[in-house]
Amino acid sequence: MRILLVEDEPRMANVIAKGLRENSYAVDIAEDGDVALYQASINDYDLIVLDVLLPKRDGFEVCRALRARGDATPILMLTARATVDDRLNGFDAGADDYLTKPFSFRELLARIRALLRRDSQLRPDVFQLDDLVVDSGSHRVSRASREIELTAKEYALLEFLARRAGQLVSRTDIAAHVWDDSFDPFSNTIEVYMNRLRKKIDDEHAVKLLHTRRGEGYILESRN
Ligand code: CA
């Protein structure tokens, strides 16, 4: 899941981005309203965290501009001011939810999870494929009832494939939703991560779940 974080205070932006990355989200940071609109036009974000007080265009303007051009990405607005007016302005502008600074990181994570769930009513919290279980609430993964330790990025990749189980997932799709804009499309990063995942998920099992379709992408499915 890839998030655009729009926040002009570098320290705040870095703390939030670091925490989100530790929780398996890919994060791009935009430091003003213009950059935010540009980033959202070239990337397909799963969610936007949008500060209200920004240079150039404020969060309300950014929100209105996104909705005006038909962008339906879920938006969570952040503000230091907790007035009713602000909240109503945010919803009027097309925001989906609202969080007042200062907030706890746990609360931010909970709101993000709720918005991502709402955006995709058909997606369950727990994915099961054969004896593989991926719990998107706790980020726990197990196979044949044995817990598997994954890094944040390995987990993000597996969850992305699990959400599309049985479908061919292209490298472009993976790069767009699992990695941020520092991703180098000419690198073999995705292959490296797929190999690590395969080792952890499939190596000790007769039934393989991770499959490569050469030159096309990857599929998570049970094959005997
Ligand atoms: Ca700000």
Side-chain angles (χ1 to χ4, degrees):
M1 290 282 152
R2 185 169 177 185
I3 294 175
L4 177 63
L5 171 62
V6 191
E7 166 64 80
D8 56 311
E9 291 153 64
R11 251 199 19 220
M12 182 78 166
N14 288 331
V15 168
I16 295 177
K18 182 169 179 281
L20 291 176
R21 288 180 183 130
E22 284 167 3
N23 281 275
S24 297
Y25 294 106
V27 183
D28 294 331
I29 298 172
E31 63 279 2
D32 68 46
D34 286 347
V35 173
L37 285 175
Y38 172 71
Q39 288 276 79
S41 72
I42 58 168
N43 296 309
D44 180 14
Y45 292 103
D46 298 293
L47 185 128
I48 298 173
V49 177
L50 180 58
D51 191 27
V52 169
L53 297 176
L54 294 168
K56 296 190 182 168
R57 289 167 195 257
D58 70 17
F60 300 129
E61 283 179 72
V62 172
C63 200
R64 263 191 294 272
L66 286 169
R67 296 308 187 227
R69 71 189 189 201
D71 189 326
T73 309
I75 294 175
L76 172 61
M77 294 200 85
L78 306 178
T79 185
R81 299 170 301 176
T83 68
V84 174
D85 268 2
D86 262 10
R87 197 149 72 219
L88 294 179
N89 274 335
F91 288 128
D92 273 351
D96 298 276
D97 201 1
Y98 205 89
L99 197 54
T100 305
K101 289 175 177 177
F103 49 82
S104 74
F105 190 73
R106 273 180 53 194
E107 187 172 8
L108 176 67
L109 271 186
R111 299 288 186 98
I112 287 175
R113 234 178 263 136
L115 280 180
L116 289 173
R117 209 175 310 144
R118 192 163 81 189
D119 182 45
S120 49
Q121 292 144 345
L122 295 174
R123 293 177 192 168
D125 279 347
V126 179
F127 307 93
Q128 186 152 11
L129 179 69
D130 208 79
D131 54 359
L132 174 74
V133 179
V134 180
D135 185 332
S136 68
S138 64
H139 287 194
R140 287 228 173 91
V141 175
S142 67
R143 185 145 189 210
S145 305
R146 277 211 350 240
E147 196 145 332
I148 299 172
E149 292 282 335
L150 298 179
T151 65
K153 200 48 110 184
E154 289 166 357
Y155 173 82
L157 177 56
L158 180 63
E159 191 198 289
F160 189 72
L161 292 168
R163 286 178 186 276
R164 290 156 184 75
Q167 303 167 33
L168 180 71
V169 181
S170 72
R171 287 171 39 97
T172 313
D173 252 5
I174 292 173
H177 292 273
V178 181
W179 269 270
D180 59 29
D181 60 7
S182 64
F183 181 78
D184 171 7
F186 301 106
S187 73
N188 65 343
T189 308
I190 294 176
E191 284 78 0
V192 170
Y193 274 89
M194 284 302 298
N195 285 337
R196 285 190 208 158
L197 261 190
R198 200 169 268 134
K199 233 175 227 147
K200 292 183 177 183
I201 303 291
D202 276 345
D203 260 14
E204 295 167 21
H205 300 270
V207 176
K208 307 299 181 195
L209 302 177
L210 287 164
H211 308 277
T212 304
R213 206 179 278 174
R214 227 158 260 300
E216 290 186 85
Y218 304 95
I219 304 176
L220 183 73
E221 69 181 355
S222 175
R223 291 181 193 165
N224 292 300

